[in-house]
């Protein structure tokens, strides 16, 4: 008797796969903060890089954290991830107000990042008296979009002198701005800062809820510990 076996290959084009990516480490944010990000109708892959997956929704895929990277510098390491298709990264202090599907239309061969339109354009040229007010940036890495496998040069560049970069720059945003990588920026009217406004020149009202925007950044929660409750109160009115 001759047996004939038919093998069916299911081909998945990783270039077309969409991934919504988050990062949770330490105790500042909880599993509920992660689950909130994914509590929408996003049809793509849901991935969280974390050191503690307790309480995360069952449909979220987990990538373990590396052990030797400090805090927010982990966001640079995310650029070393591969085989995730088109990646939209969101910080856990981001609030999704409209469908994020449209954000993927800005995918390009260069990565795309949030631009801080609520700051003056000359902000990165200003200097202060201490480390925290030097090498400023008009990027905000709370929202980034890229094709996995195309931005490994960012992480590799950081590794060339990581101790120096961590000493020089007060955060990954400033590293990304001053190390002269090529980024596209999301256009206006998509992302705003709940604390600082939407546009430095025309819409700078602070602590203002703007429901027409796709994303709200609740940045500076360390300085404004009640920002989350305040945003929820405004958004539920």
């Amino acid at each position: 008797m001759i047996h004939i076996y038919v093998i069916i290959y299911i081909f998945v084009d990783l270039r077309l796969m969409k991934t919504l990516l988050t990062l949770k480490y330490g105790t500042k944010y909880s599993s509920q903060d992660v689950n909130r990000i994914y509590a929408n109708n996003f049809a793509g892959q849901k991935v969280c890089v974390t050191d503690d997956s307790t309480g995360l929704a069952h449909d979220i895929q987990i990538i373990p954290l590396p052990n030797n990277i400090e805090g927010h510098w982990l966001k640079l390491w995310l650029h070393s991830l591969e085989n995730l298709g088109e990646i939209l990264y969101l910080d856990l202090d981001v609030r999704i107000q409209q469908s994020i599907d449209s954000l993927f239309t800005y995918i390009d061969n260069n990565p795309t990042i949030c631009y801080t339109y609520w700051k003056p354009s000359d902000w990165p040229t200003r200097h202060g008296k201490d480390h925290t007010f030097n090498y400023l940036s008009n990027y905000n890495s709370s929202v980034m979009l890229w094709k996995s496998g195309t931005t490994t040069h960012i992480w590799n560049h950081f590794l060339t002198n990581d101790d120096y970069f961590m000493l020089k720059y007060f955060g990954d945003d400033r590293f990304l701005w001053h190390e002269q990588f090529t980024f596209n920026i999301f256009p206006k009217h998509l992302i705003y800062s709940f604390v600082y406004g939407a546009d430095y020149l025309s819409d700078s009202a602070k602590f203002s809820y703007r429901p027409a925007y796709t994303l709200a950044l609740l940045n500076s929660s360390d300085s404004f510990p009640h920002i989350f409750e305040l945003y929820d109160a405004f958004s539920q009115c």
Side-chain angles (χ1 to χ4, degrees), residues 13 87 108 115 118-119:
D13 191 341
I87 298 174
D108 189 64
Y115 185 88
W118 50 89
K119 295 179 182 179

Side-chain angles (χ1 to χ4, degrees), residues 71-90:
H72 49 227
W73 300 104
L74 284 161
K75 286 201 276 186
L76 299 181
W77 174 81
L78 296 178
H79 287 279
S80 70
L81 297 176
E82 298 186 353
N83 300 322
L84 292 178
E86 298 176 353
I87 298 174
L88 175 63
Y89 169 80
L90 299 180

Side-chain angles (χ1 to χ4, degrees), residues 35-51:
N35 293 337
R36 181 187 293 110
I37 293 288
Y38 297 111
N40 58 75
N41 295 322
F42 178 68
Q45 182 173 224
K46 303 173 182 179
V47 178
C48 180
V49 177
T50 183
D51 54 357

Side-chain angles (χ1 to χ4, degrees), residues 85-179:
E86 298 176 353
I87 298 174
L88 175 63
Y89 169 80
L90 299 180
D91 268 357
L92 296 180
D93 59 1
V94 171
R95 292 295 182 267
I96 298 174
Q97 302 185 158
Q98 303 287 340
S99 171
I100 61 174
D101 291 341
S102 62
L103 296 179
F104 282 92
T105 64
Y106 297 100
I107 198 75
D108 189 64
N109 291 328
N110 296 319
T112 304
I113 197 167
C114 173
Y115 185 88
T116 57
Y117 295 106
W118 50 89
K119 295 179 182 179
S121 59
D122 68 344
W123 182 254
T125 66
R126 301 184 183 187
H127 301 281
K129 294 182 179 180
D130 64 65
H131 176 57
T132 61
F133 288 98
N134 286 317
Y135 297 105
L136 302 176
S137 171
N138 271 125
Y139 288 158
N140 188 305
S141 61
S142 295
V143 185
M144 294 185 287
L145 177 71
W146 72 94
K147 297 178 181 178
S148 63
T150 65
T151 57
T152 54
H153 62 283
I154 293 175
W155 177 241
N156 291 336
H157 179 63
F158 176 74
L159 289 179
T160 61
N161 205 341
D162 53 343
D163 289 335
Y164 168 75
F165 291 134
M166 287 189 288
L167 181 64
K168 179 178 181 179
Y169 298 119
F170 191 70
D172 58 294
D173 295 336
R174 304 182 190 193
F175 169 84
L176 293 174
W177 178 275
H178 289 281
E179 290 303 307

Side-chain angles (χ1 to χ4, degrees), residues 97-99 188-192 209-216:
Q97 302 185 158
Q98 303 287 340
S99 171
K188 291 184 178 182
H189 310 302
L190 289 176
I191 306 167
Y192 74 101
Y209 174 59
R210 298 168 172 84
Y213 280 70
T214 302
L215 300 176

Side-chain angles (χ1 to χ4, degrees), residues 23 129 151 195 228:
L23 171 66
K129 294 182 179 180
T151 57
V195 173
F228 301 105

